[in-house]
Amino acid sequence: MAGIGKRAFARQSGEDDMKPVVKGSLGLACLLAIQVVWAGEPDLKGDKERFSYTLGVQLGQEIRGLGNNSGVAFDLDSLMLGVKDSIEGGKLRLTPDEIRKVRMDFEEKMKKSAKEHMAKLAEENKRLGEAFQASNRTKAGVTVTESGLQFEVLRSGNGPKPKVEDRVRLHYRGTTIDGREFDSSYRRGAPATFSVKEVVPGWTEGLQLMATGGQYRLVVPSKLAYGERGSASIEPNATLVFEVELLAVNP
C-alpha cells in the first residue's frame, strides 16, 4: 500500500535521501578483477572480450547517468586513464587524499543539485495541484470538506460506516492528477485490509464518510497525503486521486 500508509511517510521523512555516489553500484571494483588493457577496438568475438565490453557498457551508462543528474561534466580520456591505472595496479596519479576530496566535492554537488531539483518539483506540483483542486471542486457531485478533502460519491453504500479505531477491507486505485497509477489493489488481485487510523489523513477522513458497499472518488491535497517530502513513489507536494470501494468494516 505504497500510496496511503503513514508508515511509508514516516520512513521517508526520517532518512537522508542522498546515498554515496558509487556505493552499491557496479563501479570500478568489478573492473579491477578483469585483466584488461586498453589497446584499441577489439573484435568482440571472444567471451572475454564480450564480457569485458558488457561491463564497460554498464559502467558507461552509470557514469553518464551521474553526469546527467548532477550537471557535472566528465572527460573520457581521463576516465579511461584512471581505469587503466587501477587495473594495472601501479602508482595512481592522484593521492588518496586528492581522490577522497574529489569524491566528496562531487557528492556535495550531487546533493545540491538534487535539493534544487526537488524544490522546483515541489513548487510545480503545488501549483498544478491547486489548479486541479480548483477545477475539480466545480464539478457536479463534488463535496469539499473543511480540511480541503474533496470527495464524489460514485456509488452509495448501505452498510455501517467505519470509525477511526476500526479496520476496513477495501479495493482502491491511486493515481496522480495526470492519471499515472502508482498503487492499486485491483492490480494485485486482492482487497487490502488495514486500520483507519494508520493511513494518511485524507484517507482517515474519507473512509469515515463512507458506508460499507459504497464507492468514492477522493481528491487528496498534498497536506493530507505525503506533503512536501513525498515518498518513494510520490513526488513532493503531489495532489493524489483515489477511487475507493469499501467492502467491509472490521472483517
Side-chain angles (χ1 to χ4, degrees), residues 7-132:
R7 192 172 303 167
F9 172 62
R11 182 170 60 247
Q12 279 296 119
S13 60
E15 291 179 346
D16 181 3
D17 295 330
M18 297 307 303
K19 300 296 188 293
V21 175
V22 295
K23 183 178 179 181
S25 63
L26 176 67
L28 295 179
C30 291
L31 290 179
L32 292 177
I34 308 297
Q35 303 264 325
V36 178
V37 177
W38 176 254
E41 293 188 6
D43 57 18
L44 302 182
K45 292 182 178 179
D47 289 343
K48 179 178 72 173
E49 289 77 14
R50 293 172 67 84
F51 178 63
S52 299
Y53 181 77
T54 297
L55 289 180
V57 169
Q58 292 177 329
L59 177 60
Q61 290 172 340
E62 183 175 324
I63 292 172
R64 184 176 64 181
L66 288 174
N68 291 341
N69 292 333
S70 66
V72 177
F74 65 90
D75 178 72
L76 182 58
D77 291 336
S78 300
L79 171 66
M80 295 307 301
L81 181 62
V83 173
K84 181 176 180 293
D85 286 351
S86 294
I87 291 174
E88 291 178 345
K91 182 178 179 181
L92 301 181
R93 299 164 201 248
L94 294 178
T95 67
D97 286 342
E98 288 175 323
I99 291 175
R100 189 177 303 111
K101 185 178 185 307
V102 169
R103 287 175 58 106
M104 290 177 62
D105 289 347
F106 180 77
E107 289 179 8
E108 285 302 314
K109 290 177 181 178
M110 286 283 287
K111 289 180 181 179
K112 181 179 179 181
S113 177
K115 287 180 179 178
E116 290 174 351
H117 172 72
M118 293 301 285
K120 290 180 180 179
L121 194 59
E123 183 178 349
E124 178 69 0
N125 284 338
K126 181 180 180 181
R127 182 185 66 81
L128 293 173
E130 289 175 348
F132 181 86

Side-chain angles (χ1 to χ4, degrees), residues 203-250:
W203 268 66
T204 297
E205 179 182 358
L207 287 172
Q208 295 178 81
L209 300 173
M210 300 180 65
T212 302
Q215 185 175 13
Y216 279 33
R217 179 176 182 265
L218 305 178
V219 173
V220 184
S222 64
K223 66 180 181 179
L224 301 177
Y226 293 90
E228 295 182 354
R229 289 282 298 187
S231 75
S233 59
I234 307 297
E235 292 182 351
N237 281 343
T239 294
L240 304 178
V241 181
F242 293 94
E243 289 186 8
V244 185
E245 183 180 5
L246 182 57
L247 302 176
V249 176
N250 294 322

